[in-house]
Amino acid sequence: MKGFGAPAPGGPAPAVKARDTPRLPGALPAPPGAAGSEKILEELSEELFASLRRTDQRRRGSDYLRGLLTTPGRKSIRNMAALLGGIGTGQSLHHFVSSSTWDWVPVRRALAEYLVRTAPPRAWVVRPLLIPKTGRHSVGVGRYGGKDYPVSAQMAMGVWAASESTAVPVHWSLHLPASDEAPGTAADGVDAGLEVLTDWGLPPRPLVLDLEGEAVAPAVRRLRAARLHPVARITGDVRLQVADPALVGHNGRVLHAEEVLRAAQDLRRPVRGTGGGPGTRPRAPRRPLAGRPDMAAAVRVGLADRSRAGAGLVLVGIGPANRFWPREVWLSTLPYPQSTVAIPAYGGLLRMTDHVQDSIGTSVGLRDYTGRSYAGWHRHATLASAAHAVAMLSR
């Protein structure tokens, strides 16, 4: 089953047009000092640190951002202090991140609001971040990767503001191994997404995430109860109730997602990299794209519990028309007529987010916090997210 699928308040979301098909970013931008990037750094710093009352805290925040953007190699406080210079710089940066009392949530919210104005997101994308560690003394360190090749690491879940050309993290949750939930589970991502989209007053956009097995139903119910639009890539073992008269002989039955899509192969249609959001109509590609198109089929379904809260969902399979179809399985609350058009675009946003997390995110130190405290990790992750925004927006 595992290989079969990979792991808002109401209101319309803008269409993802054919010309908006996500493109993976190329070379990393120039550091601060280059044309455009210095202006973005200064503008963003002023908004980010408005909630910090003291001038010295705002100055240290800007210094830390600059260190993340300009220090070569690992973004440890020692390395950043050596580049920035000045007596006591390292101690000041360490205190600002690890021992100070400033609240990171208002800073993250300011970052999200800045992005909504300057790079409006098409979706909020939830992605895991694995942070390998050599010891076990940092907060949240556990053993991940299975019994055959376990690694000592932290596991975080990030909520990203993603569009066709930009993906920036705006919020993070850090899994604590002592908690009851398994690492990087749906609960971690759903909690983070709910906080961003229900508490921060941000624009309603689909929440794109991975869900597996038995975690799908509770996650979908929680998100729908909050009037959000989940668009989830799921595994083929999820049990669903068919609610589509087009599937003759299967309507009303409870089947695994892979069984539903196997029965729906005659409904497949070619799709290209285009899409939309709730309240929009499908748009045809404006120009042909290279290569053979994927094939997609959409089926109306509900959760297996047959509850009213679990009704009105759409199951979509997508991939090349071969014996391994579908390559991906998706479950969403998008309107049925546009689901086969919208899902490829949202899948593209998810893949682009993974790419920039591993490229630009790595370059600005998302994984480089060397301290041990929970608060210190969150402050560093907040500042690294802001540095990521500067790097992407200055491209």
Side-chain angles (χ1 to χ4, degrees):
M1 298 285 189
K2 190 77 171 179
F4 188 84
V16 182
K17 304 173 186 177
R19 65 173 180 269
D20 293 337
T21 301
R23 298 179 299 276
L24 298 182
L28 298 183
S37 60
E38 187 69 26
K39 179 180 178 180
I40 293 173
L41 176 60
E42 293 177 358
E43 180 182 82
L44 181 56
S45 295
E46 183 176 352
E47 295 195 27
L48 282 182
F49 305 125
S51 61
L52 277 60
R53 296 182 179 180
R54 301 202 324 252
T55 302
D56 64 309
Q57 286 184 320
R58 295 193 292 272
R59 184 172 63 252
R60 289 307 174 200
S62 297
D63 289 344
Y64 203 96
L65 270 183
R66 191 176 298 278
L68 291 171
L69 287 160
T70 58
T71 302
R74 187 172 179 83
K75 307 304 186 291
S76 67
I77 288 178
R78 176 180 295 181
N79 291 344
M80 290 191 292
L83 180 71
L84 296 173
I87 299 175
T89 300
Q91 184 176 358
S92 297
L93 293 179
H94 174 79
H95 181 271
F96 176 72
V97 168
S98 299
S99 306
S100 187
T101 58
W102 59 274
D103 186 354
W104 56 84
V105 173
V107 178
R108 293 179 182 179
R109 185 169 179 172
L111 173 60
E113 291 171 347
Y114 178 84
L115 291 168
V116 166
R117 293 197 318 273
T118 59
R122 303 289 188 182
W124 305 101
V125 178
V126 177
R127 302 308 297 145
L129 176 68
L130 187 69
I131 309 169
K133 291 289 182 179
T134 55
R136 298 184 58 86
H137 299 293
S138 297
V139 64
V141 172
R143 301 291 284 178
Y144 303 104
K147 62 181 181 179
D148 295 329
Y149 300 100
V151 295
S152 180
Q154 295 168 316
M155 175 65 77
M157 296 293 285
V159 180
W160 295 65
S163 68
E164 68 279 357
S165 59
T166 305
V168 176
V170 299
H171 192 41
W172 293 96
S173 67
L174 179 65
H175 181 76
L176 302 179
S179 66
D180 294 333
E181 295 289 345
T185 61
D188 294 317
V190 170
D191 288 344
L194 284 171
E195 184 174 356
V196 167
L197 296 179
T198 60
D199 295 348
W200 294 9
L202 299 176
R205 297 292 182 267
L207 186 70
V208 182
L209 71 167
D210 281 332
L211 297 173
E212 297 185 359
E214 295 181 356
V216 171
V220 169
R221 282 195 292 265
R222 288 185 64 198
L223 292 169
R224 296 189 79 182
R227 299 179 181 274
L228 303 185
H229 298 290
V231 178
R233 188 171 60 178
I234 66 172
T235 47
D237 58 349
V238 177
R239 288 173 58 79
L240 300 166
Q241 181 190 19
V242 179
D244 199 323
L247 251 60
V248 178
H250 296 85
N251 193 28
R253 298 178 59 190
V254 173
L255 303 169
H256 291 125
E258 62 178 352
E259 296 174 312
V260 177
L261 291 172
R262 191 176 300 125
Q265 291 191 71
D266 290 342
L267 303 179
R268 292 181 298 183
R269 298 291 182 270
V271 293
R272 302 224 184 237
T274 180
T280 65
R281 294 183 178 181
R283 295 173 182 262
R286 291 176 179 259
R287 59 180 182 274
L289 301 180
R292 297 181 63 183
D294 280 341
M295 302 294 290
V299 180
R300 298 176 180 91
V301 296
L303 297 178
D305 60 10
R306 303 174 186 265
S307 65
R308 182 177 178 181
L313 303 173
V314 180
L315 177 69
V316 177
I318 185 169
N322 56 34
R323 64 190 182 93
F324 299 110
W325 185 91
R327 180 185 62 235
E328 294 182 348
V329 183
W330 291 80
L331 186 67
S332 83
T333 57
L334 301 176
Y336 173 80
Q338 69 188 63
S339 293
T340 55
V341 181
I343 291 300
Y346 290 123
L349 293 181
L350 186 151
R351 288 184 287 274
M352 187 187 73
T353 300
D354 284 342
H355 175 78
V356 299
Q357 177 172 267
D358 288 337
S359 54
I360 295 177
T362 297
S363 75
V364 297
L366 271 180
R367 295 181 172 91
D368 287 353
Y369 179 63
T370 56
R372 298 180 179 181
S373 74
Y374 178 84
W377 183 90
H378 272 286
R379 294 192 184 103
H380 173 86
T382 301
L383 296 168
S385 299
H388 185 110
V390 174
M392 285 225 72
L393 295 177
S394 62
R395 291 185 306 120

